[in-house]
Amino acid sequence: MDASTDKERDHKKLGKELDLFTFSELVGSGLPLWTPKGTILRDLLDDFVWEMRSRYGYEKVEIPHITKRELYEKSGHWDKFKEDLFRITTREGDEFALKPMNCPHHTQIYARKPWSYRELPQRYANTTMCYRDEQSGELNGLSRVRAFTQDDAHCFCRESQVKEEFMKIWNIVDEFYSTFGFKPKKIRLSFHDPKHPDKYLGDKNRWKIAEDILNSIAKGKDVETIDGAGEAAFYGPKLDFMAEDAHGRLWQVATIQLDMNMPERFDLTCINEKGEKERIVMIHAAIMGSIERFLSVLIEHLQGAFPLWLSPVQARVLSVSEKHTAYAHEVEKELKAAGIRADSDDANESLGKKIRNAKTEKIPYLLVVGDAEVEAKTVSVDSRDHGKLDSLSIGDFIARAHEEIKRRG
Ligand SMILES: [Zn+2]
């Protein structure tokens, strides 16, 4: 689906107006650079996902962005992904690659020691950049890039734990997307293509087990499913969450993948109740997928009007004239001290112009200060979403904002 059919809601145009990201010819196409405001957005989204993951027992891990060729030969990515890899040759002549995904690295964190079944699942979360050498003609704003950030996670568990772990991730997906009025309505069962078994790793039997598990998970949920034969990853089947945005467009958002092949290739096991080695499975679970692509969808879905908790600037103080500037700064300071992302506009321009600028930037709250406000120690509140409100004391405005931020309103 083309994200740029409607110019007005195009994320590239809005991203520029909101000053969230930029591109540089010197850095290269498909390599977005994030401004301070855009970085705030990315961090807040990632923190939100992490807050939910940590509730379900995930732990953060970290990995380098390059690896020896051997890792991808073993995982099967070298063969499947060869064309998309950015390759590096070291001065000693060794071949390395920039990582196009994180799974193979994460298997090596799991493989560092033997595990008892009692210690499983091991759940690793890692928000990190990946690199794919997309053709320059395919690049498009944030929708298709060469460097993207995955809010990635892998759960290493026993087959008997798959269902429960899938449900946990499903809960996170529901909570995350509902916050934006973007609750996934359909699930695509992305299975292997029976006509082309050569496209996939591993034996038939293992695929059948994995697909049966996903089928039964989806059946247990009150949700519409779509047949996605041929849409599987080369190492395992997926559940793809499909959500409809404010403009009626259907997007694939989160995805949960069940992988019985990577653990086989890397010989990942645990010691079971009988003291025997047991093959484990691996669940791949990105919530946003890539932050870049998610933001391209979110910016267009909200037309740049982010909810208060997510807005890079939450409130702007506008002084009516120069003689109110000192008070405006006082208000700004108090808001910042209360943890609210605030700034003030004391340019030598009309109030009308300042308001228009702030509206273009989609700032949720404008706090106008003139004679009456200086006198009464208040602010006159203009809300992006609720129109003009009464004058409030600074303390009352802060309390209102805190409450709205807390419920992610
Ligand atoms: Zn993965």
Side-chain angles (χ1 to χ4, degrees), residues 101-104 106 150 152-154 235 257 259 282-285:
M101 77 287 301
N102 312 302
C103 342
H106 285 185
Q150 282 186 333
D152 211 358
H154 294 103
Y235 48 75
Q257 308 176 1
D259 184 351
M282 186 173 170
I283 300 169
H284 307 249

Coordinates of all heavy atoms in Angstrom, one line a residue, residues 101-104 106 150 152-154 235 257 259 282-285, ligand 1:
M101 N 19.7 -8.5 10.9 CA 18.7 -8.9 12.0 C 19.5 -9.3 13.2 O 20.8 -9.4 13.1 CB 17.8 -10.0 11.5 CG 18.4 -11.4 11.5 SD 19.5 -11.7 10.2 CE 18.4 -11.3 8.8
N102 N 18.9 -9.6 14.3 CA 19.6 -9.8 15.5 C 19.6 -11.2 16.1 O 20.3 -11.6 17.0 CB 19.0 -8.9 16.6 CG 18.9 -7.5 16.1 OD1 19.8 -6.9 15.7 ND2 17.6 -6.9 16.1
C103 N 18.7 -12.0 15.5 CA 18.5 -13.4 16.0 C 19.7 -14.2 16.2 O 20.0 -14.8 17.2 CB 17.4 -14.1 15.2 SG 16.4 -13.1 14.1
P104 N 20.6 -14.3 15.1 CA 21.8 -15.1 15.3 C 22.7 -14.7 16.4 O 23.2 -15.5 17.2 CB 22.5 -15.0 13.9 CG 21.4 -14.7 12.9 CD 20.5 -13.8 13.7
H106 N 21.7 -13.2 19.1 CA 21.0 -13.6 20.4 C 21.2 -15.0 20.7 O 21.3 -15.4 21.9 CB 19.6 -13.1 20.4 CG 19.4 -11.7 20.5 ND1 18.1 -11.1 20.6 CD2 20.3 -10.6 20.6 CE1 18.3 -9.8 20.7 NE2 19.5 -9.5 20.7
Q150 N 15.1 -2.0 15.2 CA 14.1 -3.0 15.6 C 13.9 -3.0 17.1 O 14.9 -3.0 17.9 CB 14.5 -4.4 15.2 CG 14.3 -4.7 13.7 CD 14.6 -6.1 13.3 OE1 15.4 -6.8 14.0 NE2 14.0 -6.6 12.3
D152 N 13.5 -5.4 19.1 CA 13.5 -6.9 18.9 C 13.5 -7.6 20.3 O 13.9 -7.1 21.3 CB 14.8 -7.2 18.1 CG 14.6 -8.5 17.3 OD1 13.5 -9.0 17.3 OD2 15.5 -8.8 16.6
A153 N 13.0 -8.8 20.2 CA 13.1 -9.7 21.4 C 13.0 -11.1 21.0 O 12.4 -11.4 20.0 CB 11.9 -9.4 22.4
H154 N 13.7 -11.9 21.7 CA 13.7 -13.4 21.5 C 13.5 -14.1 22.8 O 14.1 -13.8 23.8 CB 15.0 -13.8 20.8 CG 15.2 -13.3 19.4 ND1 16.0 -12.2 19.2 CD2 14.6 -13.6 18.3 CE1 15.9 -11.9 17.9 NE2 15.1 -12.7 17.3
Y235 N 12.7 -19.4 8.3 CA 13.0 -20.3 9.4 C 11.8 -20.7 10.3 O 11.9 -21.5 11.2 CB 14.1 -19.7 10.3 CG 13.7 -18.2 10.7 CD1 12.7 -17.9 11.6 CD2 14.4 -17.2 10.1 CE1 12.4 -16.6 11.9 CE2 14.1 -15.9 10.3 CZ 13.1 -15.6 11.3 OH 12.8 -14.3 11.5
Q257 N 6.9 -14.8 15.7 CA 7.3 -15.9 14.9 C 7.8 -17.1 15.8 O 8.5 -16.9 16.8 CB 8.5 -15.5 14.0 CG 8.2 -14.2 13.2 CD 9.4 -13.7 12.4 OE1 10.4 -14.4 12.4 NE2 9.2 -12.6 11.7
D259 N 10.1 -20.3 15.8 CA 11.2 -20.8 15.1 C 11.8 -22.1 15.7 O 12.2 -22.1 16.9 CB 12.3 -19.7 15.2 CG 13.5 -20.0 14.4 OD1 13.7 -21.2 13.9 OD2 14.4 -19.1 14.2
M282 N 12.5 -21.1 19.7 CA 12.8 -19.7 19.8 C 11.6 -18.9 19.3 O 11.1 -19.2 18.2 CB 14.0 -19.5 18.9 CG 14.7 -18.1 19.0 SD 16.2 -18.3 18.0 CE 16.6 -16.5 17.9
I283 N 11.2 -17.9 20.0 CA 10.1 -17.0 19.5 C 10.7 -15.6 19.2 O 11.4 -15.1 20.1 CB 9.0 -16.9 20.6 CG1 8.4 -18.3 21.0 CG2 7.9 -15.9 20.1 CD1 7.5 -18.3 22.2
H284 N 10.4 -15.2 18.0 CA 10.9 -13.8 17.7 C 9.7 -12.9 17.9 O 8.6 -13.1 17.4 CB 11.2 -13.7 16.2 CG 12.2 -14.8 15.7 ND1 13.5 -14.5 15.4 CD2 12.1 -16.1 15.6 CE1 14.2 -15.6 15.0 NE2 13.3 -16.6 15.1
A285 N 9.9 -11.8 18.6 CA 8.7 -11.0 19.0 C 9.0 -9.5 19.0 O 9.3 -8.9 20.0 CB 8.2 -11.4 20.3
Ligands
ZN1 ZN 14.5 -12.7 15.4

